[in-house]
Amino acid sequence: MGRLAAVAAMGVCAVGLTACGGGGGDDDAFKGKSADEVAAQAVKATRQADSMHLKGSARQEGGESLALDIAVDSEKNCEGTVEQQGATAQVRHKSATLYLKGDEKYWQKSLKQQAGSDTLVSKVADKWVKMPAGDDQLSGLCDKQGLLAALDEDKSERKGMSKDGTASVDGTPAVKLTKKSGGKTLTMYVASKGKPYLLKVTTTGGSAPESTTFSDYGKPVEPEQPPAGDTVDLKQLAAK
């Protein structure tokens, strides 16, 4: 269990889902700075943000599709959804407790190696499941720094960027940075007003395109406690 979340965390590595129109940015916002300097500044500002909303999609080398839509803050409060190959799970992390609400297909895939999985699936599908403490793979979805770590894992991936005009991402003006390498194109849209946050990052070309938008910087993440009558404890169920 947790494979879906682990894949989701990896899917954010090259990190945009909404359309970007031309114009609206400001070339003077980063006057005197190279594209690589702007990219580094954007990654730093994004990692330092208290909270954000990430929404993205990816296709992996094997052809599997992944979609992630999650709001997260620096205190690991989070809520959102993860979808992989038609299996969907909602995630909430509140008061150091992780809750997951997966559909039947999600639990069938997650529990297929466990004895008595058919019975267990019927008990957890479409319920808010309190996950065992220490489930690092799933809890990683609610670790803002962990989700963004891949932006800095290989700094060479964003070396050699070029300024490529301006754009608007969901109404926010941006400077567009691009880098072409090995048949792939990495594009970063950096806010040109206010803090230089990343607004969108895409990788196109190749067999594993990825795309993620970033929004709602600084907006409080306040997931609701799942209703007690709609919550089950996976650890207790597994022990029966």
Side-chain angles (χ1 to χ4, degrees), residues 11-24:
V12 179
C13 65
V15 277
L17 208 55
T18 53
C20 288

Side-chain angles (χ1 to χ4, degrees), residues 202-215:
T202 67
T203 298
T204 56
S207 58
E210 300 182 11
S211 176
T212 298
T213 54
F214 301 78
S215 62

Side-chain angles (χ1 to χ4, degrees), residues 110-158:
S110 298
L111 300 174
K112 62 182 179 182
Q113 301 298 329
Q114 187 163 326
S117 61
D118 290 343
T119 299
L120 194 54
V121 167
S122 67
K123 294 180 179 179
V124 297
D126 298 317
K127 293 280 189 180
W128 281 107
V129 179
K130 183 179 180 181
M131 302 302 293
D135 192 323
D136 294 334
Q137 288 185 321
L138 280 171
S139 60
L141 269 177
C142 298
D143 181 353
K144 181 179 71 68
Q145 291 300 341
L147 283 172
L148 298 176
L151 291 170
D152 258 353
E153 280 179 353
D154 185 356
K155 293 180 175 60
S156 66
E157 291 186 354
R158 53 179 167 82

Side-chain angles (χ1 to χ4, degrees), residues 156-161 177-181 184-186:
S156 66
E157 291 186 354
R158 53 179 167 82
K159 295 292 184 181
M161 305 289 291
L177 311 175
T178 59
K179 175 185 176 180
K180 294 184 178 181
S181 176
K184 299 180 181 180
T185 300
L186 170 65

Side-chain angles (χ1 to χ4, degrees), residues 19 39 41 44 58 61 68 101 113 115 143 168 210 224:
Q41 187 178 354
K44 181 179 180 180
E61 296 288 350
L68 176 70
K101 189 175 185 178
Q113 301 298 329
D143 181 353
S168 176
E210 300 182 11
E224 293 184 3

